[in-house]
Amino acid sequence: MSLIEEAQSQFGLTLTPEQANQFDIYARELADWNTRMNLTAITEPDEVRVRHFLDSLSVVAVMGFDNGDKAVDVGTGAGFPGLPLAIAFPDIHVTLIDATAKKITFLEHIVAECGLTNVQTVHARAEDAGHDSAHRGQYDVVVARAVARLPSLLEYMLPLAKVGGFCIAMKGDSASEELEDSKRALFVLGGEAKPIADVPFPQIDRTHYLVTIEKTQKTPKPYPRKAGTPTRKPIGF
Ligand code: SAH
């Protein structure tokens, strides 16, 4: 099946041929740049389509986007899940944050090649962005995949969300265990967990899990703690 067909049948998402073309450019450039820098272990087109593009788009299983919504992807790497969401939803604003400069260079290249006007890239650590008034408390939706265990990840994500906004962490089989371990972090940072959503991926015979957290309270000033502390000493450990 094509990406257009799979996005429609798995997630009810309608992509235009122009959007499909943007995904083709992204896949081609990812494979090309990956020969010169380490961006991803996955470059084979079918795998990129399923494990990067469709997986990123699966966020829509729990989150509808409204025009004008502000989303941020923390630890975006080569752009996942934020950049596929920016392509699929041209009427939302997407901020991509990563601590590694060369990843930002790659992302800027994709944004230019695809002609995207709804993406901002930020070279920063999440712990620093979380204290920058341009980012703290500014986002309707905060997403992340494969960045840190949830108790640490929530300290990156929740400070960036508006009160009433949502954080969505894309997780594998450890989702419920990580959420169990995050009770203290949720209490301290001002978040409330929603039921974990299962997302089946028959193409790769796997189920992925979306952990959704609503930000219910303002995050207290000391959080996020200084760079490195959230992973070295997760809240509650
Ligand atoms: N989300 C992408 C990349 C995962 S790799 C994907 O799923 O494919 C993790 C990425 O997070 C790396 O690019 C790394 O530079 C970034 N990262 C890790 N800790 C970070 C932090 N504290 N602040 C910002 N970026 C961080």
Side-chain angles (χ1 to χ4, degrees):
M1 269 205 275
S2 69
L3 180 65
I4 291 186
E5 290 166 327
E6 283 170 306
Q8 181 65 248
S9 68
Q10 272 173 272
F11 306 118
L13 265 178
T14 303
L15 297 176
T16 64
E18 189 190 328
Q19 287 167 316
N21 185 47
Q22 290 172 317
F23 279 107
D24 285 343
I25 293 169
Y26 189 0
R28 188 190 69 212
E29 295 300 306
L30 179 67
D32 180 35
W33 279 56
N34 208 54
T35 61
R36 299 190 293 277
M37 64 170 73
N38 186 19
L39 289 166
T40 175
I42 298 165
T43 53
E44 196 273 312
D46 285 336
E47 295 253 306
V48 169
R49 194 185 75 249
V50 174
R51 292 178 188 267
H52 283 329
F53 296 163
L54 281 175
D55 192 36
S56 295
L57 297 175
S58 74
V59 167
V60 304
V62 293
M63 184 61 40
F65 291 101
D66 294 325
N67 289 355
D69 271 357
K70 291 179 71 181
V72 59
D73 181 8
V74 179
T76 188
F80 307 113
L83 205 35
L85 292 170
I87 293 173
F89 296 96
D91 296 319
I92 68 170
H93 302 281
V94 177
T95 300
L96 306 172
I97 298 181
D98 204 278
T100 306
K102 63 184 188 181
K103 304 229 167 119
I104 298 294
T105 306
F106 169 73
L107 296 169
E108 290 287 354
H109 174 72
I110 299 301
V111 166
E113 288 287 307
C114 291
L116 296 170
T117 55
N118 61 333
V119 177
Q120 173 195 18
T121 61
V122 177
H123 176 216
R125 290 195 61 121
E127 298 94 316
D128 299 322
H131 286 289
D132 179 341
S133 60
H135 302 293
R136 185 180 178 90
Q138 296 301 307
Y139 294 95
D140 302 288
V141 184
V142 185
V143 291
R145 184 182 83 166
V147 178
R149 286 192 86 242
L150 197 62
S152 308
L153 185 61
L154 288 173
E155 192 169 346
Y156 297 161
M157 298 176 87
L158 271 164
L160 299 170
K162 294 177 179 168
V163 173
F166 292 89
C167 300
I168 301 165
M170 306 178 66
K171 289 289 176 185
D173 294 334
S174 62
S176 55
E177 184 191 317
E178 290 188 37
L179 184 56
E180 235 356 81
D181 287 345
S182 300
K183 289 201 168 126
R184 179 75 196 158
L186 286 171
F187 175 75
V188 168
L189 299 168
E192 242 170 58
K194 301 286 169 196
I196 294 176
D198 304 9
V199 184
F201 276 93
Q203 298 96 328
I204 50 173
D205 197 21
R206 288 193 64 110
T207 302
H208 290 177
Y209 299 90
L210 299 175
V211 180
T212 304
I213 308 292
E214 181 175 359
K215 178 151 165 178
T216 52
Q217 309 276 334
K218 246 176 125 172
T219 297
K221 276 229 172 67
Y223 300 96
R225 292 165 295 165
K226 71 177 197 313
T229 307
T231 47
R232 203 172 51 247
K233 200 173 179 339
I235 297 169
F237 287 83

